[in-house]
Amino acid sequence: MSYFENIKALPLKESPIIMGIETSCDETAVAIVKGGRQILSDVIISSATEHARFGGVVPEIASRGHTTAILEATKKALDDAKLKLQDIDAFAVTEGAGLLGALLVGVSFAKSLAFSTNKPLVPVSHIRGHIAASYLADTTLKPPFVTILASGGHTAIVAVDDYYKLNVLGSTIDDAVGEAFDKVARVLGLNYPGGPNVERLAKEGKNVVPLPKMLKNYVGGEYDFSYSGLKTAVINYVHTQEQKGLEVNKSDVANSFQHAAVDVLVEKAFMALKKTGYKTLAVSGGVGANGYLRDALVNAVRGKDIKLVIPEKRYCTDNGAMIAAEGYLQYKKGNFADLSLNAKAVVPLR
Ligand code: KG4
Ligand code: ZN
């Protein structure tokens, strides 16, 4: 029997131990999760500092970082969980979206582990992984709920109707919110990764710089976003001030941008809660690590009959545990790949 015929014939386990492997960007992340909810180990080796001086992720450096870190991350994940490779029931791996060369390292590595142990290979969408991080944050969480998906590559308000059905109510028509944070950081002379640095600077500033608001129906549908306009407004403001020989108060720019970028996420999430009637709001993706957003959500649900699920910051940004958590859902459906699995730069949000 071929590898794949063998795999398809295996009985599914009730509470499988799944290794999640994530290499879509600059984090080499390997985690082990039991039954989709219990994190047994979680290792992240980041090459972020190597990209900092280039102002953004350099794909070649990211790929090289993964090839040198992946074995160490996997061994540590097994050691921390006090498990052997043979104890793993399935290998879940991010197949996309992301940097192709970076993804390929994880995909080939996961294939070799699955083949050599004769265990299923479970392809996982990075975005679904981000959303699944909420199942780890609140182990009692069940759909339906609304999630704010806010990462470096995606921005959307998603109704998670059930574990498998994502209803995208609206999304960005141009830049993602994390991308806007990173670009504004550059204009303000801050290092990559921009988000946390803009947040730090914003703490010292005030919301006084006039920036356009993303009003309802400002773009496409009422749940859509446009971050390109906001980013351009910030760039124009900084350049105009400089041309006039006026000082730019960078903390005020950071604070005002953060307000404009984040307030609209909260506002549209609440519109979505009202529309769907769902009573739980979650947040997913790297921008979910933003303290101002987290505080704004806590304030917004106060006195309302809405449950809030905010994963720890570590589980908002890229990690292996979220891939294992989504891998569990796919495992339960028997969504396994054969050894021809390839990495995908783009995966539709559905
Ligand atoms: O989800 P993620 O780790 O990777 C993608 O799938 O894109 O998100 C990375 C993005 C980056 O744009 C980064 O600047 C942003 O999340 N980010 C933040 C914060 N931490 C990370 N943005 C604002 N505030 C933060 N604290
Ligand atoms: Zn991500």
Side-chain angles (χ1 to χ4, degrees), residues 178 181-186 190-200:
F181 265 94
D182 294 335
K183 287 179 179 164
V184 165
R186 253 202 223 201
L190 303 171
N191 276 341
Y192 174 85
N197 289 328
V198 170
E199 180 184 351
R200 221 165 286 133

Side-chain angles (χ1 to χ4, degrees), residues 22 24-25 126-127 130 151-152 285-286 316-318 322:
E22 154 63 38
S24 71
C25 194
H126 184 78
I127 294 306
H130 272 303
S151 73
C316 289
T317 47
D318 293 347
M322 70 184 201

Side-chain angles (χ1 to χ4, degrees), residues 124-168:
V124 168
S125 143
H126 184 78
I127 294 306
R128 280 186 174 267
H130 272 303
I131 294 172
S134 292
Y135 300 126
L136 300 167
D138 178 345
T139 53
T140 65
L141 174 67
K142 289 192 176 77
F145 58 93
V146 168
T147 191
I148 299 174
L149 171 61
S151 73
H154 289 83
T155 306
I157 301 292
V158 181
V160 182
D161 292 339
D162 65 39
Y163 284 112
Y164 300 95
K165 188 163 172 287
L166 303 182
N167 178 10
V168 182

Side-chain angles (χ1 to χ4, degrees), residues 62-75:
S63 310
R64 221 174 311 144
H66 293 312
T67 52
T68 50
I70 197 149
L71 204 54
E72 183 190 335
T74 305
K75 280 186 182 155

Side-chain angles (χ1 to χ4, degrees), residues 248-321:
V248 176
N249 183 324
K250 291 187 177 177
S251 323
D252 286 350
V253 175
N255 187 295
S256 308
F257 162 75
Q258 187 171 258
H259 264 95
V262 166
D263 292 351
V264 66
L265 291 170
V266 179
E267 199 178 306
K268 295 200 181 198
F270 274 84
M271 282 162 50
L273 286 168
K274 204 166 165 196
K275 178 189 164 94
T276 55
Y278 295 169
K279 296 288 181 201
T280 304
L281 176 61
V283 62
S284 34
V287 182
N290 182 273
Y292 172 70
L293 170 60
R294 300 165 79 91
D295 290 347
L297 288 169
V298 171
N299 288 331
V301 297
R302 194 162 287 139
K304 296 196 180 79
D305 179 25
I306 300 290
K307 176 173 151 171
L308 190 58
V309 178
I310 307 184
E312 265 176 57
K313 293 184 181 187
R314 181 185 176 88
Y315 297 112
C316 289
T317 47
D318 293 347
N319 64 85

Side-chain angles (χ1 to χ4, degrees), residues 38-96:
Q38 189 194 353
I39 301 171
L40 303 183
S41 65
D42 168 38
V43 179
I44 300 175
I45 301 176
S46 175
S47 61
T49 51
E50 292 173 55
H51 305 281
R53 69 194 170 101
F54 299 102
V57 175
V58 182
E60 182 59 27
I61 295 178
S63 310
R64 221 174 311 144
H66 293 312
T67 52
T68 50
I70 197 149
L71 204 54
E72 183 190 335
T74 305
K75 280 186 182 155
K76 184 160 178 10
L78 287 167
D79 287 351
D80 289 355
K82 299 191 172 47
L83 293 173
K84 303 233 170 319
L85 196 57
Q86 291 71 19
D87 299 324
I88 304 297
D89 294 314
F91 295 90
V93 63
T94 306
E95 62 168 335

